């Protein structure tokens, strides 16, 4: 058993296969936790929030650290890919700049060398910076469990603070993204207490592209973090944007609707009223920036 000041004792187990990892997780239930970068896990253990007896290292398992891009199939990014790896990968930068931007907004450089995409998402925090990007890019999670592999849309994964759709014995192995529409534009805006790396007060991802099936000829997707029990899409705002011409009036209406979809709490970082107002402001700013990119394209 390993013992550290401030940390409860635990066994470190390096899983040999996905099957073994899944069986160990199923067998030990809450007493075992998958370990990626440990930046969330160890903080919660240190604070006594959780006391797992087994930390199951799964970072090295097949596909966990791979980034594979195909023009037709899109992007598959392993759950153990770190924030810095995602943010710097040429295919992510070229085709999914929103994901690169979101990954690069997490904490500080040193932490981004440890923190993984899978850990950020499986932690189930409403403040996860990569969640709004994953939601607006319509990512799907590859989950491996006792019954084999399944894929789940990101929109069905987040169930509440710290709660996800992961079943007993399941772990996330990868995130898949469809090929982005031609000429898409995007922006992630994060408001934090400082620029040196802190959880967001509000995070807003805006993704836009031309679409002749929409009455306005454009579609925009909006993802929000830190303003509800789960990261979410502002669907009513998105509908208003698809139905009305992309101008200042529509953007203001959509920003208002995005604010209405937020149900934040007040905490040490900011009050609820301030957070709601910032959803409106950041959404408006994001829409203007994305529209500017679309017009120039
Ligand atoms: C100083 C500091 C600053 C931070 N700033 C930010 C920030 O700006 N933005 C932000 O979003 N987050 C921030 N965080 C939180 C954290 O760093 C991120 O959420 C990080 O991405 C977690 O990844 P990890 O690899 O360290 O996960 P871990 O800590 O290893 O795991 C997190 C949780 O997910 C579970 N898990 C991990 N991998 C899997 C898997 N494959 N399948 C199933 N469950 C799994 C673990 O068991 C654990 O419960 C910060 C943390 C610290 C300590």
């Amino acid at each position: 058993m390993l013992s550290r000041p401030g940390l409860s004792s635990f066994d470190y187990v390096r899983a040999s296969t996905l099957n073994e990892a899944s069986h160990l997780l199923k067998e030990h239930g809450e007493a075992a936790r998958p370990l990626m970068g440990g930046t969330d896990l160890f903080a919660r253990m240190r604070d006594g929030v959780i006391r797992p007896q087994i930390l199951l290292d799964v970072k090295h398992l097949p596909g966990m650290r791979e980034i594979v891009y195909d023009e037709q199939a899109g992007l598959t990014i392993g759950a153990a890919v770190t924030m810095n790896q995602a943010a710097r990968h040429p295919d992510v930068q070229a085709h999914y700049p929103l994901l690169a931007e979101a990954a690069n907004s997490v904490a500080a450089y040193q932490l981004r060398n440890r923190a993984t995409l899978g850990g950020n998402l499986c932690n189930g925090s409403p403040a996860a910076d990569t969640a709004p990007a994953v939601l607006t890019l319509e990512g799907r999670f590859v989950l491996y469990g006792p019954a084999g592999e399944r894929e789940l849309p990101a929109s069905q994964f987040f169930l509440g603070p710290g709660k996800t759709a992961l079943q007993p014995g399941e772990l996330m192995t990868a995130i898949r993204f469809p090929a982005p529409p031609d000429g898409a534009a995007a922006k992630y805006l994060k408001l934090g207490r400082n620029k040196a790396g802190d959880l967001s007060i509000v995070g807003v991802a805006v993704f836009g592209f031309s679409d002749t099936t929409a009455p306005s000829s454009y579609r925009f997707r909006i993802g929000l973090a830190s303003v509800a029990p789960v990261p979410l899409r502002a669907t009513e705002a998105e509908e208003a944007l698809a139905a009305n011409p992309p101008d200042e009036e529509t953007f203001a209406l959509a920003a208002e609707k995005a604010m209405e979809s937020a149900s934040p709490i007040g905490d040490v970082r900011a009050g609820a009223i301030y957070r709601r107002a910032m959803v409106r402001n950041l959404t408006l700013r994001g829409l203007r920036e994305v529209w500017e990119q679309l017009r120039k394209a």
Side-chain angles (χ1 to χ4, degrees):
M1 295 285 263
L2 299 172
S3 185
R4 294 281 179 277
L7 277 185
S8 53
S9 297
F10 60 88
D11 283 329
Y12 169 87
V13 177
R14 189 177 154 93
S16 308
T17 61
L18 279 172
N19 203 25
E20 186 200 16
S22 166
H23 276 91
L24 280 170
L25 289 175
K26 182 88 195 270
E27 185 186 337
H28 294 279
E30 288 289 298
R33 296 273 178 155
L35 169 68
M36 300 285 244
T39 62
D40 270 318
L41 199 53
F42 285 125
R44 297 181 72 214
M45 288 170 67
R46 176 204 59 200
D47 295 346
V49 181
I50 51 170
R51 291 178 180 277
Q53 283 140 36
I54 297 172
L55 294 191
L56 187 61
D57 195 342
V58 293
K59 294 190 288 291
H60 54 282
L61 293 176
M64 282 281 198
R65 285 178 164 143
E66 276 176 21
I67 300 180
V68 180
Y69 173 70
D70 175 90
E71 232 173 72
Q72 249 86 54
L75 180 76
T76 300
I77 188 159
V81 167
T82 67
M83 297 298 173
N84 276 342
Q85 286 165 343
R88 286 155 167 219
H89 195 277
D91 286 326
V92 180
Q93 287 185 344
H95 307 289
Y96 303 85
L98 180 62
L99 184 63
E101 199 177 8
N104 204 43
S105 79
V106 172
Y109 184 88
Q110 289 88 340
L111 192 121
R112 289 196 294 273
N113 269 344
R114 291 290 307 169
T116 64
L117 270 176
N120 194 231
L121 298 162
C122 291
N123 198 41
S125 165
D129 272 309
T130 62
V134 171
L135 286 166
T136 52
L137 293 168
E138 303 203 323
R140 297 175 68 83
F141 298 149
V142 185
L143 308 177
Y144 185 93
E149 191 178 285
R150 67 175 176 132
E151 249 187 61
L152 190 73
S155 57
Q156 295 173 22
F157 185 74
F158 303 106
L159 303 183
K163 291 200 177 68
T164 68
L166 282 167
Q167 296 295 308
E170 257 186 344
L171 63 155
M172 182 185 290
T173 58
I175 304 118
R176 290 197 178 124
F177 297 95
D182 282 343
K187 185 74 198 160
Y188 183 58
L189 291 162
K190 173 176 177 175
L191 178 67
R193 287 180 300 182
N194 57 55
K195 287 194 191 303
D198 190 17
L199 290 174
S200 63
I201 290 171
V202 172
V204 177
V206 179
F207 181 73
F209 53 98
S210 70
D211 181 349
T212 50
T213 68
S216 70
S217 298
Y218 289 92
R219 289 197 192 275
F220 293 85
R221 300 182 196 145
I222 298 168
L224 305 176
S226 286
V227 295
V230 291
L232 73 156
R233 288 264 296 268
T235 48
E236 289 192 11
E238 294 178 3
E239 283 161 19
L241 288 156
N244 297 289
D247 57 21
E248 269 300 308
E249 196 183 330
T250 302
F251 294 161
L253 172 71
E256 200 70 25
K257 285 185 179 292
M259 181 177 76
E260 284 162 15
S261 66
S263 52
I265 54 164
D267 63 12
V268 290
R269 290 190 173 77
I273 294 171
Y274 179 69
R275 277 199 159 102
R276 273 168 57 83
M278 289 305 106
V279 171
R280 184 185 54 215
N281 290 8
L282 264 59
T283 303
L284 185 56
R285 192 162 8 130
L287 286 168
R288 285 175 179 153
E289 287 192 32
V290 168
W291 177 235
E292 207 46 40
Q293 291 179 49
L294 288 172
R295 280 200 324 168
K296 282 187 193 151

